[in-house]
């Protein structure tokens, strides 16, 4: 599904974070969103997820205006969000967390459990375990798996590498690319981990104080002075 953000301004109360932001995420693409802390990356994810309603501008999904749709209605149109900090239910088992994802899909009853466990075999070993007792990396796998249970067309990920060992970060990145390739799932990934984004995304944007200051292929961005100027790399 093609996701289009057009002239979006958004923030919290009287504080404006995103300023007249426009971008297009093509069907089946992986878009990396880069920028330092406080530059508006997570606010963009919240706007796309429906957690924040823009003050101005529009968001469309395959031509349908979803700017003011609440999160549950966006989920039923195929958008799933993996929030920063994972957002799992720690007192529920792994299996119960995955079932919560299927419930969120609403009328779409396709059961994707076997596929999810195929992508994340470690979860299969822990179906009866309380989610809160797993490692950070395992919890991130669970959060992504729960998102996949909604049978999404668009997946939004906010800092999926946060607090995870490097070996698991690499594994999760490879799995996300596999999901994208096999299922043509459109992915928007917000990350401070620049190497992870460059290993996954076809295109990148860089935000600075809520404004789009650079965009292009990852090769284009990596060869420019953008990394030094806006990411201090």
């Amino acid at each position: 599904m093609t996701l289009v953000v057009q002239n979006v301004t958004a923030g919290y109360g009287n504080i404006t974070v995103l300023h007249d932001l426009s971008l297009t995420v093509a069907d089946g693409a992986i878009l990396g969103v880069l920028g330092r802390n406080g530059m508006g990356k997570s606010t963009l994810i919240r706007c796309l997820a429906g957690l924040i309603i823009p003050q101005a501008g529009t968001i469309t999904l395959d031509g349908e205006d979803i700017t003011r749709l609440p999160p549950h209605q966006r989920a039923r149109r195929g958008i799933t969000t993996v929030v920063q900090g994972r957002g799992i239910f720690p007192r529920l088992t792994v299996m119960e967390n995955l079932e919560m994802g299927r419930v969120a899909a609403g009328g779409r009853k396709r059961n994707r459990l076997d596929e999810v466990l195929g992508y994340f075999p470690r979860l299969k070993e822990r179906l009866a375990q309380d989610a809160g007792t797993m490692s950070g990396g395992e919890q991130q796998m669970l959060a992504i798996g729960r998102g996949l249970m909604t049978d999404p067309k668009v997946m939004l990920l906010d800092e999926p590498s946060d607090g995870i060992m490097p070996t698991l970060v690499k594994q999760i990145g490879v799995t996300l690319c596999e999901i994208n390739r096999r299922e043509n799932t459109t992915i928007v990934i917000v990350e401070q981990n620049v190497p992870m984004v460059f290993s996954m995304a076809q295109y990148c944007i860089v935000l600075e104080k809520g404004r789009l200051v650079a965009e292009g292929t990852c090769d284009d961005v990596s060869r420019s002075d953008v990394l030094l100027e806006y990411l201090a790399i």
Side-chain angles (χ1 to χ4, degrees):
M1 287 187 169
T2 301
L3 192 61
V4 178
V5 175
Q6 189 168 9
N7 304 118
V8 162
T9 295
Y12 309 90
N14 295 324
I15 301 173
T16 299
V17 178
L18 300 179
H19 301 270
D20 197 32
L21 183 66
S22 295
L23 61 94
T24 297
V25 190
D27 182 34
I30 301 179
L31 174 72
V33 182
L34 300 171
R36 292 173 291 193
N37 280 333
M39 295 297 110
K41 304 186 304 298
S42 292
T43 301
L44 172 60
I45 288 290
R46 289 172 175 269
C47 281
L48 297 177
L51 299 170
I52 296 174
I53 302 301
Q55 301 158 7
T58 59
I59 301 170
T60 61
L61 181 67
D62 267 4
E64 179 188 3
D65 189 339
I66 63 169
T67 310
R68 298 192 171 277
L69 287 185
H72 71 278
Q73 291 189 17
R74 299 192 195 203
R76 292 179 181 182
R77 283 164 172 77
I79 297 178
T80 194
T81 307
V82 180
V83 298
Q84 186 174 12
R86 297 175 273 282
I88 61 163
F89 299 97
R91 295 186 180 180
L92 297 184
T93 67
V94 169
M95 185 67 209
E96 289 167 338
N97 269 272
L98 293 174
E99 282 295 321
M100 291 296 288
R102 192 158 69 93
V103 168
R108 290 176 292 133
K109 300 297 184 181
R110 179 186 176 199
N111 191 334
R112 301 202 54 192
L113 181 61
D114 288 343
E115 295 165 72
V116 169
L117 298 181
Y119 286 124
F120 298 109
R122 194 170 298 196
L123 297 182
K124 188 174 184 178
E125 304 167 3
R126 291 162 168 75
L127 287 177
Q129 184 174 337
D130 286 351
T133 64
M134 299 196 303
S135 71
E138 291 166 345
Q139 290 182 18
Q140 188 63 271
M141 292 176 186
L142 176 57
I144 295 170
R146 186 182 60 191
L148 286 175
M149 290 290 286
T150 69
D151 198 18
K153 304 302 179 186
V154 178
M155 180 171 283
L156 311 174
L157 298 118
D158 192 0
E159 304 283 0
S161 75
D162 187 31
I164 298 176
M165 295 190 314
T167 53
L168 287 182
V169 169
K170 183 176 180 179
Q171 181 180 340
I172 288 170
V174 168
T175 302
L176 287 169
C177 288
E178 184 180 2
I179 292 166
N180 167 260
R181 183 174 61 254
R182 285 187 178 183
E183 306 184 30
N184 200 44
T185 305
T186 303
I187 294 177
V188 179
I189 177 169
V190 161
E191 259 297 344
Q192 298 252 29
N193 187 327
V194 176
M196 181 182 187
V197 171
F198 282 174
S199 72
M200 291 177 56
Q202 292 97 19
Y203 302 94
C204 295
I205 64 170
V206 180
L207 297 182
E208 175 76 9
K209 296 181 180 178
R211 292 181 168 85
L212 185 65
V213 292
E215 61 182 318
T217 67
C218 291
D219 284 344
D220 291 339
V221 172
S222 66
R223 293 193 189 110
S224 68
D225 59 359
V226 167
L227 297 185
L228 179 61
E229 186 173 357
Y230 296 113
L231 302 175
I233 295 176

